[in-house]
Amino acid sequence: MKSCLTLVAWLCCFGSIGSAAEELKSASFADSLATMTLTGDGELRSYQLSTKADLRDNQPADKQITFPEDSNHARCRTGNLAFDALYALAIHEALQNSVASISDGAYSSGSPIPIDAYQTGAKWTYVWTRDLSYSVQLGLAGFDPARATNSLFFKTSSLKPGIQGGYPNQMVQDTGSGGSYPVSTDRVVWVLGARETLNYLPKAKHEEFLRKVYPIMRDTIEQDRRLVFDPVDGLYRGEHSFLDWREQTYPGWTAKNVMAIAMSKAVSVNASYYLLLQTASEYAGLLKDRAAQTKYGQWAQALQTSINRNFFDEAAGLYRTYLLSDDGTHSIAVDRYDLMGQSLAILSGVASVGRAERILEHYPVGPFGPPVVWPEERSVPIYHNQSVWPFATAYWLKSAKLACNTAAIESGIEALTKLAGANLSNMENYDFISGKAQVSQGPRQGPVINSQRQLWSVAGYLSMVQDVVFGLETSRDGIRFRPMITANLRNGMFGESDVIELANFSFRGTKSKVILHLPAKGSFASGVCEVTSLRLNGSMNFDDYVAEEALHPDNVWDLTLVAAKSGKFSTSLNRVNVANEDALFSPLQPEWNETPITAADGMLTLHFRQAAGTDVVFNIYRNGKLIAKNVATTNWTDPESKAFDKVVYDYSVAAVSNGRLASHPTPARSYRTKEQQQVIPASELVNQGGNLVGGHHFENWGNPDHSLESKEFKAALSGRHVIRAEFSNGAGPVNTGVTCAVKRLEVFQIPKPDPIAASYLVMPHSGDWQRWDLSNAISVDLQKGESYRIRISEDPYSRNMSYFQSNERYTSGLGGGKESFNYVNIASLRILYLEPGPSR
């Protein structure tokens, strides 16, 4: 006869929750929100999970699901039914996301694309670079290495046939802000998945894998070094990773114009570049490319220094999420922070151990875990704003393990188990305040989009169990286990068993059972368990990685843990009161008056406004530097602006609340005299290709052989200038597409044959062909009275994602099919003086 074990629990409090013995037992908790039922007395179990919570989209309508354990994958036995079952649920949902074909309405007209791959979730049936890469690193590389490999290479591409020169094999940046790359540049997180997948491949396949992935890494690095690397501060530009919904995480004014996003630098992207450069250096060494090994290693070291110098906020104890720049000229170190940026800085090794400990203690945490951005915004709905994303919490947990912050570990585990259990699935995201998967009333509703069995949420749950609790670690050298069992986990979650097991875990064609013998319940009240004995297949083992040749087909890891009598750990956590809105929400950003800056009495005065009834003061930034704090008036005169006829000043303003939370900054505004700006209209440009319309602008312009060249002009002033193009790009909407326009601009001093300055114009989608914006700024030193000319053309690196073969299947806009699309309308060139330069 089968036995039936029922558990009623508010998942997952750190108290006793009952034992999974072969007899009927139950336990209930304060909220009694979820009910778990176990049936069957064999080696494999089947579970039924039901809930009283309101479910997203009211699915499933009967508020219950049934799922079995799978004989081909790992399972837990911990004495905690909820813990074991929710791990089985993550395995079950990973299997549901393991498909034989993928599809999306934007590709192949929605027709299925045959491939054994991971799809992104119940509502997302395609493969996206960032979702996949994070998921593979968190847990899906080991779950199915062949499927992980297929999925990863699906997100790489060669150039379309007939396109010559440049770097032919690169990572794919998916459709996104302003027409994708180079506005968005977080395609480089691909390296996280590739690096983890290599760890799970048999050693005999390592060289083959390396020879396939290394050229992709190399070509991506070299392309980005030309197009999105800023040698002035040593950082890479582009939209921060996964937080890709403009006004959700950037100033509201970027919703319609993403130039500032393209020109800003994000800590999450730069930490990912650091790991990419490290990995490329390592792989180049393995493949005997010593020159590349040295070069990429040096680039990585320099980038680490630049990240720490530019992003870390000593006062907050956190890395700022991005450096905001309207056009690439000046950058503001904003008082905004994000969870993935902190975690990637810690896990990549950018952050020192001491700095990692500070981050874990300072980043805010609510009752359902840490929010993905901080502070929150009152004026936008719940999605990235005011939200918890389980995969980001999983990265936070891995960071907490590294920094040994027991409070963060316990908080993260409680959040992931509680949210998955109450919602019958590893959902995409949740409201930070209530923990709900759907908030339908109140000033902010959402999450705006949410999906069951979201791939990276599933992988994040696997990571929590495997990487944190059982301490799984892998490398090219092999596998080891360094479990992280805190006192509260031992006495609460695992309080009904002296032994917990992870069985049937796969690694390079072998199986492993990991047995953790726990210290006596109640034997310690704080700290972390310490491993005193580790036996592998009956023999004593040390803490090193175990190579695959030392493993048996079936392995038993037997670890004895004791209450730690020493060792450094932290219990400090920045818990925020979610009932206090002043502690959560930043003020609305100020707005400029119609005339933002006036000149009088030899100085400049700023004019801006703030929403009525808002109790704030203001921070003033000039040329990216904070120059005044706690300003109480909305008309402010800069006492150090007397040289405005010789130096152009860019100003931005941010509001600061009584809770000391800062708003997003305003867009930068400057005051220029007539002499400090020159305009070359389209009618004074000589074109190769395209046609001049109404004397105003060139259209049908942008083929690889097209060019625009100014007639000879003389500089009005000596010093540093920037050149910007007035453009429109109606190739797609502001929020998606693959056709951000990219062209090369060169400045020649007549009669010299070689350019005195050259760089790339980035011209994102405008949404239509009637709206005119200004491109990024390209710096050049000019001398008064000297003659110059400017040329705009295309070289083998002036490329967007429409040049890649993978986008032949893109059918939702321009840039798909056999042809690339790099067209843009140009109305004028602006030559803008900044400051005096060195005399000749």
Side-chain angles (χ1 to χ4, degrees):
M1 176 181 293
K2 291 184 177 180
S3 63
C4 179
L5 177 63
T6 301
L7 170 69
V8 180
W10 171 232
L11 307 171
C12 164
C13 296
F14 289 100
S16 170
I17 68 165
S19 170
E22 294 299 328
E23 59 182 302
L24 180 64
K25 289 190 178 180
S26 64
S28 60
F29 289 85
D31 294 306
S32 297
L33 192 61
T35 302
M36 185 72 73
T37 302
L38 165 66
T39 59
D41 56 5
E43 184 179 3
L44 297 178
R45 296 171 175 173
S46 181
Y47 302 94
Q48 184 180 79
L49 175 61
S50 61
T51 186
K52 295 179 182 178
D54 294 331
L55 296 179
R56 179 77 185 207
D57 305 321
N58 196 32
Q59 293 295 320
D62 62 358
K63 295 191 176 185
Q64 64 179 18
I65 56 172
T66 300
F67 50 95
E69 291 180 330
D70 185 84
S71 60
N72 294 317
H73 292 282
R75 53 188 174 270
C76 283
R77 296 293 181 263
T78 64
N80 180 325
L81 182 61
F83 189 87
D84 297 353
L86 291 174
Y87 180 70
L89 175 62
I91 296 287
H92 176 68
E93 293 193 320
L95 288 168
Q96 288 180 297
N97 287 332
S98 301
V99 296
S101 66
I102 57 174
S103 64
D104 182 83
Y107 295 89
S108 301
S109 300
S111 298
I113 300 170
I115 181 175
D116 289 332
Y118 290 119
Q119 71 174 31
T120 305
K123 290 183 179 179
W124 310 108
T125 56
Y126 200 64
V127 178
W128 308 106
T129 301
R130 69 173 66 93
D131 301 60
L132 171 72
S133 302
Y134 287 132
S135 301
V136 168
Q137 188 192 37
L138 283 171
L140 297 183
F143 186 82
D144 188 339
R147 190 176 299 275
T149 301
N150 290 345
S151 302
L152 285 166
F153 286 123
F154 183 76
K155 301 311 299 181
T156 65
S157 183
S158 57
L159 296 169
K160 289 178 177 177
I163 296 176
Q164 303 297 319
Y167 300 105
N169 299 291
Q170 296 182 39
M171 303 163 193
V172 170
Q173 185 73 46
D174 290 310
T175 56
S177 297
S180 184
Y181 181 85
V183 176
S184 300
T185 57
D186 76 330
R187 60 181 179 156
V188 295
V189 302
W190 186 88
V191 70
L192 279 68
R195 186 181 181 95
E196 190 71 12
T197 298
L198 176 63
N199 293 348
Y200 282 92
L201 295 178
K203 201 168 184 179
K205 294 186 176 182
H206 280 198
E207 184 171 350
E208 176 188 356
F209 187 80
L210 286 171
R211 292 194 178 281
K212 192 169 182 180
V213 301
Y214 174 68
I216 296 166
M217 295 179 183
R218 179 198 61 213
D219 285 4
T220 301
I221 289 170
E222 296 295 342
Q223 168 68 23
D224 285 358
R225 197 74 174 185
R226 290 173 176 266
L227 203 56
V228 300
F229 179 73
D230 186 348
V232 175
D233 58 17
L235 298 171
Y236 290 84
R237 303 182 185 95
E239 186 173 35
H240 44 210
S241 186
F242 116 82
L243 302 170
D244 60 334
W245 192 336
R246 295 147 302 283
E247 65 270 32
Q248 281 275 327
T249 50
Y250 285 94
W253 45 270
T254 64
K256 300 299 183 183
N257 185 335
V258 301
M259 181 57 65
I261 295 175
M263 291 297 104
S264 296
K265 289 121 180 181
V267 68
S268 57
V269 170
N270 278 274
S272 300
Y273 271 108
Y274 172 71
L275 186 61
L276 173 60
L277 290 168
Q278 276 192 317
T279 304
S281 177
E282 176 188 344
Y283 289 5
L286 293 170
L287 296 172
K288 312 302 183 188
D289 187 345
R290 302 304 181 195
Q293 180 185 15
T294 299
K295 179 173 73 170
Y296 295 146
Q298 291 173 344
W299 286 4
Q301 186 175 20
L303 180 57
Q304 181 183 22
T305 300
S306 294
I307 293 171
N308 283 309
R309 180 177 61 244
N310 288 283
F311 284 104
F312 197 73
D313 181 348
E314 286 289 347
L318 300 169
Y319 287 95
R320 290 182 166 95
T321 192
Y322 60 91
L323 310 177
L324 181 66
S325 179
D326 283 37
D327 62 6
T329 305
H330 305 296
S331 293
I332 294 174
V334 297
D335 296 328
R336 319 290 293 195
Y337 314 93
D338 76 286
L339 187 63
M340 280 302 296
Q342 314 304 320
S343 298
L344 289 172
I346 293 170
L347 295 170
S348 67
V350 165
S352 65
V353 173
R355 188 163 282 183
E357 291 168 352
R358 288 185 65 194
I359 290 168
L360 268 295
E361 294 174 352
H362 285 81
Y363 195 85
V365 176
F368 304 96
V372 294
V373 295
W374 183 260
E376 313 308 323
E377 287 290 303
R378 298 177 188 271
S379 58
V380 297
I382 303 165
Y383 185 58
H384 295 131
N385 183 57
Q386 193 182 308
S387 70
V388 168
W389 288 60
F391 95 93
T393 301
Y395 273 103
W396 182 246
L397 272 167
K398 288 169 72 73
S399 302
K401 177 191 172 187
L402 191 65
C404 203
N405 186 307
T406 60
I409 291 165
E410 291 159 4
S411 171
I413 291 175
E414 181 177 10
L416 291 186
T417 52
K418 181 181 292 186
L419 293 170
N423 290 275
L424 309 186
S425 183
N426 292 281
M427 302 295 294
E428 183 175 2
N429 45 34
Y430 304 93
D431 173 35
F432 171 62
I433 293 175
S434 68
K436 293 182 178 180
Q438 186 167 8
V439 176
S440 302
Q441 296 180 336
R444 290 164 302 279
Q445 299 180 16
V448 178
I449 301 170
N450 208 342
S451 176
Q452 293 180 321
R453 56 177 165 87
Q454 191 74 3
L455 189 68
W456 49 18
S457 299
V458 172
Y461 200 95
L462 295 177
S463 175
M464 179 269 284
V465 175
Q466 297 167 181
D467 302 343
V468 179
V469 173
F470 285 93
L472 167 69
E473 296 181 4
T474 62
S475 73
R476 288 188 297 107
D477 297 326
I479 184 172
R480 67 185 178 189
F481 292 90
R482 290 178 165 181
M484 179 61 69
I485 308 294
T486 69
N488 284 342
L489 289 173
R490 169 62 187 109
N491 297 327
M493 177 173 285
F494 306 130
E496 298 304 314
S497 181
D498 293 331
V499 178
I500 64 174
E501 296 181 2
L502 177 68
N504 204 38
F505 183 80
S506 298
F507 179 77
R508 297 189 189 175
T510 70
K511 294 288 186 180
S512 286
K513 175 188 283 189
V514 184
I515 304 171
L516 304 184
H517 298 274
L518 305 179
K521 180 180 178 180
S523 61
F524 66 126
S526 63
V528 179
C529 293
E530 181 180 337
V531 177
T532 59
S533 172
L534 193 165
R535 291 182 176 273
L536 174 58
N537 300 325
S539 300
M540 287 297 294
N541 194 269
F542 298 96
D543 197 29
D544 295 331
Y545 287 102
V546 177
E548 68 180 80
E549 52 266 29
L551 294 173
H552 298 172
D554 292 286
N555 302 275
V556 176
W557 303 72
D558 199 296
L559 290 80
T560 300
L561 282 63
V562 299
K565 294 181 173 59
S566 62
K568 184 178 179 181
F569 64 91
S570 174
T571 60
S572 180
L573 207 58
N574 180 16
R575 298 186 186 274
V576 295
N577 179 8
V578 296
N580 179 9
E581 288 205 348
D582 290 339
L584 302 184
F585 295 98
S586 64
L588 298 176
Q589 66 194 32
E591 295 182 355
W592 289 109
N593 287 358
E594 185 174 348
T595 301
I597 305 174
T598 57
D601 300 324
M603 290 183 289
L604 300 178
T605 299
L606 313 187
H607 308 279
F608 52 94
R609 60 188 181 274
Q610 184 69 17
T614 305
D615 186 12
V616 297
V617 291
F618 302 98
N619 288 344
I620 310 293
Y621 297 87
R622 182 181 62 221
N623 292 353
K625 305 299 182 183
L626 179 61
I627 59 165
K629 299 175 68 174
N630 302 321
V631 173
T633 178
T634 55
N635 294 283
W636 181 79
T637 299
D638 182 1
E640 298 180 2
S641 62
K642 294 180 180 180
F644 70 83
D645 58 334
K646 298 180 178 62
V647 179
V648 174
Y649 300 117
D650 281 338
Y651 292 96
S652 293
V653 184
V656 181
S657 68
N658 286 333
R660 311 313 300 163
L661 299 178
S663 76
H664 289 293
T666 62
R669 292 290 182 265
S670 59
Y671 182 93
R672 277 190 168 85
T673 65
K674 289 183 179 179
E675 194 179 33
Q676 291 171 342
Q677 51 191 327
Q678 293 177 262
V679 178
I680 302 176
S683 58
E684 295 181 14
L685 300 177
V686 178
N687 67 302
Q688 177 68 40
N691 54 284
L692 184 64
V693 178
H696 178 261
H697 66 272
F698 285 96
E699 64 179 31
N700 298 319
W701 183 88
N703 265 346
D705 59 347
H706 289 180
S707 64
L708 293 173
E709 190 164 334
S710 74
K711 298 175 182 177
E712 180 180 329
F713 69 93
K714 293 183 182 295
L717 295 170
S718 293
R720 184 184 172 212
H721 293 68
V722 293
I723 299 174
R724 304 181 72 180
E726 184 186 9
F727 75 95
S728 69
N729 181 351
V734 174
N735 67 328
T736 191
V738 295
T739 47
C740 174
V742 183
K743 299 295 178 182
R744 183 166 175 83
L745 183 145
E746 298 168 301
V747 183
F748 296 86
Q749 183 175 1
I750 297 172
K752 297 177 181 178
D754 297 324
I756 61 170
S759 191
Y760 294 90
L761 293 173
V762 177
M763 295 168 282
H765 288 178
S766 311
D768 59 55
W769 294 103
Q770 284 70 51
R771 198 188 86 194
W772 297 92
D773 299 317
L774 291 179
S775 74
N776 59 311
I778 294 176
S779 180
V780 60
D781 289 326
L782 302 178
Q783 295 294 321
K784 181 178 179 179
E786 294 288 340
S787 296
Y788 300 90
R789 61 185 175 89
I790 300 170
R791 175 180 169 84
I792 304 175
S793 60
E794 184 165 320
D795 70 1
Y797 315 106
S798 311
R799 288 183 175 156
N800 56 39
M801 283 292 116
S802 77
Y803 284 76
F804 288 90
Q805 195 167 14
S806 65
N807 275 319
E808 286 185 354
R809 63 174 70 92
Y810 181 62
T811 53
S812 188
L814 296 171
K818 299 293 184 182
E819 301 297 325
S820 57
F821 189 98
N822 200 6
Y823 283 78
V824 63
N825 291 353
I826 302 290
S828 69
L829 296 176
R830 307 289 179 91
I831 304 165
L832 307 173
Y833 171 82
L834 293 182
E835 59 190 2
S839 58
R840 289 190 298 178

